């Protein structure tokens, strides 16, 4: 059982999750059959797929036509027909254990022992579902998130009897359809993501129930001060208050009184018009930054961190998997383990111990793994170790970017794919720190790109600037100037959106290469703002006043071909040619004379702000400085000998 043996897939269920998984499967190049119990369910699901694919095609977000993807999808209401030739079956039926038992009992009869059987359940134990078959080693969880087409994360979950072979095949298949898998190595309730999000919604609800906080205080603090995509009560209204209620009830977990009151009153959130906020007669989730007050955010995050300690300490998932899960599955601004190491695990433990002593509530009891880390002095970043080990890092530690320095190439990756690599204060500070700390003698050139396949960077993370003093925002962002002034050539590798602050970062680079599907824009004017990272000035210098003002004043996007035509980027290339084109540029930069490139960059940058006479004088001085270097001697000799020069930067 391996990825190589998976050619055809069957998806059982045509609802939101079923038709979404079917679409993802077909987009990944697989033949897939979607099955449901009634023809009208199947027809509705297929129509939803058609509509979605047409929209993706219109936006050029898929590499082939909608019709080509649809040609790989079959539909049926006959279960035996659907799974007869399937190598992988993904069950996406309603969350009813008896129903799933019936389905898997039939799958035992209709499939061979080599067929991989997966369930998309979000709340039922994989092991309980696998009880219906005689071969539980081939049963695993593949938990997609809603909507599957947009959400990158898939939890690959072991049941008690799931074989490593089956889990690995599932993991590799998830990667093959362009999603990001994480292993959940034990069949714990809530898996990874829901284990962490439980306290995010539950603890504020207890605090409000006990009169220790208000709904708006909780939401404003967690969204505007702590950077979460929305407050816990707004999130509950969006997903349905009854959903969290039933998950807690099924898990025999305590239910906050305010949650129980809302369910009894059938005020379940947006779907009923009223929940924690009023969406019919009120303004909905209308909390503002000033509503935050003195809400105890550490109490909430300490509980989330304690659950992370449970997952890591019980070998359910690694810190990296936990953090990937909450960032991609929940849109958290950073991983909860990374955030814990920033706060300090000793502070987290102290908070939990105080609450446990005061209340006696089991939910505050510190997990032994958290206690163990603190006892060993592994309290986080400042101590050099916590959930993560920071002791061996030559630079950093960095949470929102990855870097690799090898053979003179410093490759930087903006690593916030769940936020389309939006530029937060932390990410900008890390870019600045890396480029000011690295030994430039070890660097010949730099590349900057975005993680994931959607964006170089879609702009500034507005939520991350909520607690920033406006006076501080009036200063030029150091990161952009650091990139602009770095004494080696910097190349932006752009694939996808390059907007707002992302465009300003690209403008600070010396060279820009983009895929044809990329788009560029300065949309800040739509927020009543202007570019604040040098965009107005660099755009004017690169494009000229007319085109720069068009971008800034209108706030529209332009495609890569127009960007190349305007001179905003150096090349617009097909995705298949992107890496090769970048490599050609990097080879030239890497093999070029380091001192010569440094002087050329400095003279060209500074010459823009000088008179022509002054700029020519700078150029002449630069030429004079270089003429006596060993690199010039090597270049001259290589030219005479008809060979490639080997510059040493001397």
């Amino acid at each position: 059982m391996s990825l190589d043996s998976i050619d055809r897939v069957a998806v059982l269920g045509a609802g939101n999750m079923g038709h979404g998984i079917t679409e993802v499967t077909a987009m990944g190049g697989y033949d897939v059959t979607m099955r449901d119990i009634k023809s009208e369910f199947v027809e509705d699901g297929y129509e939803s797929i058609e509509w979605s694919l047409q929209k993706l095609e219109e936006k050029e977000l898929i590499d082939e036509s909608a019709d080509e993807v649809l040609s790989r999808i079959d539909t049926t209401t006959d279960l035996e027909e659907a799974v007869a030739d399937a190598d992988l079956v993904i069950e996406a039926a309603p969350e009813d254990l008896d129903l799933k038992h019936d389905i898997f009992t039939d799958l035992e009869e209709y499939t061979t022992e080599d067929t991989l059987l997966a369930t998309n359940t979000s709340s039922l134990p994989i092991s309980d579902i696998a009880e219906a078959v005689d071969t539980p080693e081939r049963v695993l969880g593949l938990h997609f998130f809603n909507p599957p087409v947009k959400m990158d994360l898939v939890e690959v979950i072991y049941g008690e009897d799931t074989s490593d072979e089956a889990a690995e095949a599932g993991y590799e298949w998830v990667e093959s359809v362009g999603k990001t898998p994480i292993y959940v190595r034990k069949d714990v309730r809530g898996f990874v993501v829901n284990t962490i999000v439980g306290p995010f919604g539950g603890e504020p609800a207890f605090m409000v129930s006990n009169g220790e906080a208000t709904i708006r205080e909780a939401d404003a603090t967690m969204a505007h001060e702590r950077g979460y995509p929305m407050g816990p009560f707004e999130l509950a209204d969006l997903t349905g208050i009854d959903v969290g209620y039933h998950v807690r009830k099924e898990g025999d977990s305590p239910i906050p009184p305010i949650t129980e009151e809302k369910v009894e009153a059938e005020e379940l959130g947006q779907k009923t018009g009223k929940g924690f906020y009023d969406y019919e007669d009120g303004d909905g989730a209308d909390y503002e930054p000033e509503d935050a007050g003195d809400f105890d955010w550490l109490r909430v995050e300490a509980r989330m961190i304690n659950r992370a300690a449970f997952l890591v300490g019980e070998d359910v998932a690694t810190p990296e998997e936990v953090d990937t899960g909450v960032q991609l599955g929940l849109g958290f601004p950073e991983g909860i383990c990374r955030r814990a190491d920033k706060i300090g695990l000793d502070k987290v433990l102290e908070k939990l111990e105080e609450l446990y002593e005061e209340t006696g509530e089991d939910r505050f009891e510190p997990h032994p793994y958290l206690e163990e880390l603190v006892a060993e002095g592994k309290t986080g970043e400042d101590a050099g170790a916590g959930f993560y080990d920071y002791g061996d890092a030559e630079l950093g530690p960095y949470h929102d970017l990855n870097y690799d320095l090898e053979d003179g190439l410093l490759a930087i990756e903006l690593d916030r794919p769940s936020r389309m690599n939006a530029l937060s204060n932390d990410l900008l500070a890390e870019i600045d720190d890396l480029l000011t700390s690295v030994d430039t003698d070890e660097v010949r050139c730099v590349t900057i790109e975005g993680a994931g396949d959607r964006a170089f960077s879609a702009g500034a993370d507005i939520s991350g600037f909520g607690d920033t003093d406006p006076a501080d925002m009036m200063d030029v962002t150091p990161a952009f100037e650091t990139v602009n002034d770095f004494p080696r050539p910097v190349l932006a590798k752009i694939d996808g959106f390059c907007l707002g602050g992302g465009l300003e970062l690209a403008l600070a680079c010396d060279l820009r290469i983009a895929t044809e599907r990329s788009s560029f824009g300065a949309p800040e004017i739509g927020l009543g703002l202007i570019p604040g990272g040098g965009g107005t000035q660099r755009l004017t210098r690169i494009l000229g006043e007319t085109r720069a003002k068009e971008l800034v004043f209108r706030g529209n996007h332009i495609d890569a071909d127009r960007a190349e035509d305007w001179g905003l980027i150096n090349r617009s290339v097909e995705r298949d040619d992107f890496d090769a084109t970048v490599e050609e540029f990097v080879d030239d930069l890497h093999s070029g004379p380091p001192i010569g490139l440094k002087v050329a960059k400095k003279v060209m940058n500074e010459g823009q702000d000088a008179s022509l006479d002054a700029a020519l004088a700078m150029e002449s001085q630069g030429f004079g400085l270089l003429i006596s270097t060993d690199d010039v001697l090597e270049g001259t000799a290589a030219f005479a000998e008809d060979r490639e020069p080997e510059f040493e930067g001397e």
Side-chain angles (χ1 to χ4, degrees), residues 70-84:
L70 286 168
S71 70
R72 292 194 285 270
I73 300 175
D74 293 326
T75 61
T76 184
T77 57
D78 188 302
L79 178 59
E80 184 174 5
E81 177 187 335
V83 304

Side-chain angles (χ1 to χ4, degrees), residues 461-574:
D461 188 349
I462 300 297
S463 65
F465 297 97
D467 58 350
T468 303
D469 189 322
D472 294 337
M473 296 293 287
M474 295 177 70
D475 296 330
V476 177
T477 305
F480 298 132
E481 296 310 298
T482 300
V483 172
N484 184 77
D485 297 338
F486 191 72
R488 297 289 184 268
V490 182
L491 183 148
K493 298 170 57 177
I494 302 165
D495 182 24
F497 293 110
C498 183
L499 308 174
L503 175 59
E504 292 178 294
L505 176 60
L507 291 171
C509 297
D510 302 298
L511 302 166
R512 291 165 288 280
I513 299 174
T515 58
E516 287 183 337
R517 72 176 193 132
S518 301
S519 61
F520 303 81
E524 290 91 343
I525 203 71
L527 300 174
L529 297 170
I530 65 171
T536 59
Q537 303 309 303
R538 290 196 177 97
L539 279 172
T540 302
R541 284 163 171 75
I542 292 170
L543 301 182
E545 179 182 352
T546 303
R547 285 171 171 166
K549 285 182 175 178
E550 179 178 344
L551 273 183
V552 173
F553 289 3
R554 299 185 69 192
N556 294 339
H557 297 186
I558 62 172
D559 61 27
D561 288 342
R562 177 173 293 184
E564 181 183 23
D565 182 54
W566 283 11
L568 182 63
I569 62 176
N570 297 83
R571 298 285 189 279
S572 169
V573 299
E574 295 181 4

Side-chain angles (χ1 to χ4, degrees), residues 122-423:
S122 61
S123 61
L124 298 173
I126 310 302
S127 305
D128 289 356
I129 295 171
E131 289 175 351
V133 301
D134 295 329
T135 50
E137 65 274 6
R138 63 182 173 129
V139 179
L140 75 157
L142 291 180
H143 179 215
F144 286 77
F145 287 73
N146 194 23
V149 174
K150 291 185 177 180
M151 299 295 284
D152 287 335
L153 183 72
V154 179
E155 292 178 310
V156 180
I157 308 139
Y158 278 77
E160 288 181 6
D161 298 308
T162 304
S163 68
D164 288 338
E165 186 182 22
E168 288 166 7
Y171 189 100
E172 291 172 359
W173 178 82
V174 170
E175 288 186 315
S176 76
V177 296
K179 298 299 179 182
T180 301
I182 60 169
Y183 280 122
V184 184
R185 292 172 178 79
K186 292 184 179 179
D187 194 7
V188 300
R189 184 174 292 276
F191 311 139
V192 166
V193 172
N194 287 333
T195 293
I196 301 298
V197 80
F200 179 77
E203 198 54 40
F206 277 115
M207 295 165 74
V208 171
S209 298
N210 296 337
E212 299 168 286
T214 68
I215 289 172
R216 281 179 170 77
E217 284 175 344
D219 278 0
T221 299
M222 300 309 285
H224 294 301
E225 293 190 357
R226 301 303 293 165
Y228 294 96
M230 63 181 69
F233 293 99
E234 181 185 8
L235 178 62
D237 277 355
L238 177 66
T239 58
I241 298 171
D242 54 324
V243 174
Y245 171 85
H246 289 301
V247 168
R248 290 178 178 279
K249 195 166 186 179
E250 289 169 6
D252 199 26
S253 300
I255 299 172
I258 191 173
T259 301
E260 198 150 19
E261 291 167 11
K262 290 294 180 183
V263 172
E264 290 175 356
E266 297 185 353
E267 296 177 353
L268 307 179
Q270 291 187 22
K271 62 186 176 184
T272 61
K274 189 174 183 181
F276 293 116
Y277 294 93
D278 191 337
Y279 299 89
E280 288 183 345
D281 301 321
D283 296 323
D286 56 353
Y287 58 90
E288 301 289 345
E290 55 267 24
D291 293 327
D294 296 321
F295 181 76
D296 188 359
W297 57 264
L298 182 56
R299 174 169 166 177
V300 180
E301 291 190 356
R303 280 206 57 212
M304 295 162 66
I305 292 164
N306 200 36
R307 297 304 290 158
F310 157 74
L311 292 171
V312 177
E314 301 296 328
D315 296 323
V316 177
T318 64
E320 291 85 358
E321 288 165 336
V322 172
D323 284 356
T324 297
V326 298
Q327 288 184 280
L328 296 184
L330 300 170
F332 279 13
E334 64 183 331
I336 194 64
C337 295
R338 289 289 189 192
R339 177 159 287 194
D341 283 353
K342 277 186 179 179
I343 295 170
L345 301 187
D346 50 340
K347 295 178 184 176
V348 172
L349 180 59
E350 182 181 0
K351 185 69 173 180
L352 291 168
E353 289 173 337
E354 288 175 359
L355 291 165
Y356 189 46
E357 185 176 347
E358 288 173 10
T359 67
E361 297 287 348
D362 290 343
R363 69 181 188 273
F364 296 121
E365 183 176 6
H367 189 272
Y369 183 67
L370 179 61
E371 295 176 320
E372 177 186 326
L373 288 174
V374 174
E376 293 175 354
K378 297 178 179 179
T379 56
E381 281 186 14
D382 291 344
F387 279 107
Y388 294 91
D389 185 357
Y390 304 98
D392 296 331
E394 294 181 10
L395 299 167
Y398 302 124
H399 309 140
D400 294 328
L401 67 77
N402 304 313
Y403 77 90
D404 180 65
L405 176 55
E406 185 174 354
D407 192 28
L409 172 61
L410 176 59
I412 300 173
E413 180 183 60
L414 313 178
D415 190 20
R416 303 187 77 210
S418 63
R419 294 289 185 95
M420 296 178 72
N421 302 314
L423 302 177

